[in-house]
Amino acid sequence: IPLYFLFVMHKLKKNDSNLLMPDRLKNCLYFIILLVGIYTINPFFDQTLMVRLIGVKVWIFYFLFFAIGFEIIESELELKKLCNFFSYVAIFPCVIGILLYLGSYFLDYRETMLFFYNDNQFIARIATQEFGYFDWGLGIIFFRIPSTFTHPAQYAGYLYLSLITIVSALALSKTKKENNFFILILILTILATLAAGLRGSVVYV
């Protein structure tokens, strides 16, 4: 919300109402907003006004990010800085996720997660989807690892997107040292993604 506020205020200050997006993308977004609007006022839709407003928020609240995204980056250097930043940030949850996996594999899954959540069984059970895991055989076991996120699916989704920024940072790296550093982050993120315990992770990677 603060970012939206700053963006709108900047537009008003410059007296510029134009959104710097491709027309086809802009038209697609307008069309989705129209559909959501029609569905929201649909008299045959048996839901309360509060539920309808929540639905509007879920579907269109984030659309302004498209416009901000097209305007916030104005050069390759700015894109590189943004990708570098997201790559650095990804190290923290990846390391935690891998440590949780190693603890679960070599020690005990339940005990590792309870230790991480300060012996709060309720939170640990929710975060791990009831301590869910599956065994592929040959010693390959996947545990539901949420790392610093609410649940494993959130964590995995974050890692999938992080792979994009890390590969971009790698492609934009200027020196051999920088290139090697982002290769290490990429390997770390791939390992964390596979260790998150989502069966589709292998396909996504």
Side-chain angles (χ1 to χ4, degrees):
I1 290 174
L3 183 60
Y4 282 8
F5 177 76
L6 290 172
F7 179 75
V8 172
M9 291 300 295
H10 179 68
K11 283 288 189 181
L12 291 174
K13 188 176 180 180
K14 292 176 64 177
N15 197 24
D16 176 17
S17 59
N18 187 40
L19 299 178
L20 301 179
M21 291 191 293
D23 287 337
R24 283 182 293 181
L25 175 60
K26 200 182 299 184
N27 292 336
C28 285
L29 295 178
Y30 288 152
F31 179 67
I32 294 173
I33 291 170
L34 176 65
L35 287 181
V36 172
I38 292 172
Y39 209 78
T40 301
I41 62 174
N42 180 4
F44 303 105
F45 185 42
D46 187 24
Q47 293 293 344
T48 65
L49 177 62
M50 181 61 70
V51 172
R52 293 171 188 240
L53 292 176
I54 291 171
V56 170
K57 180 263 180 188
V58 170
W59 281 103
I60 64 176
F61 179 76
Y62 304 99
F63 280 2
L64 193 55
F65 274 126
F66 283 93
I68 293 173
F70 274 95
E71 296 199 30
I72 202 169
I73 302 296
E74 296 182 338
S75 68
E76 181 183 316
L77 180 60
E78 289 183 1
L79 177 62
K80 183 179 184 302
K81 287 180 179 178
L82 186 68
C83 291
N84 287 1
F85 172 76
F86 279 107
S87 301
Y88 300 147
V89 170
I91 296 173
F92 182 67
C94 285
V95 169
I96 290 179
I98 291 171
L99 289 176
L100 288 175
Y101 177 84
L102 293 174
S104 301
Y105 191 88
F106 291 106
L107 301 175
D108 181 79
Y109 180 33
R110 182 181 291 268
E111 291 302 318
T112 298
M113 299 312 297
L114 284 173
F115 173 77
F116 184 69
Y117 288 104
N118 198 29
D119 285 329
N120 190 317
Q121 291 201 37
F122 178 73
I123 295 176
R125 283 174 51 235
I126 292 174
T128 58
Q129 296 175 313
E130 301 291 339
F131 300 103
Y133 71 94
F134 52 97
D135 191 336
W136 275 12
L138 301 175
I140 303 173
I141 304 174
F142 286 96
F143 308 96
R144 297 294 191 185
I145 302 293
S147 184
T148 56
F149 291 79
T150 309
H151 51 78
Q154 252 186 9
Y155 176 45
Y158 167 78
L159 293 173
Y160 302 149
L161 294 174
S162 294
L163 286 169
I164 297 170
T165 57
I166 294 165
V167 169
S168 300
L170 180 60
L172 294 168
S173 59
K174 302 297 184 184
T175 65
K176 184 70 174 177
K177 183 179 179 180
E178 194 177 27
N179 187 76
N180 291 338
F181 181 67
F182 287 118
I183 287 175
L184 289 175
I185 298 178
L186 179 61
I187 294 170
L188 181 73
T189 308
I190 290 173
L191 291 175
T193 305
L194 296 176
L198 276 292
R199 282 164 289 185
S201 294
V202 177
V203 178
Y204 281 115
V205 170

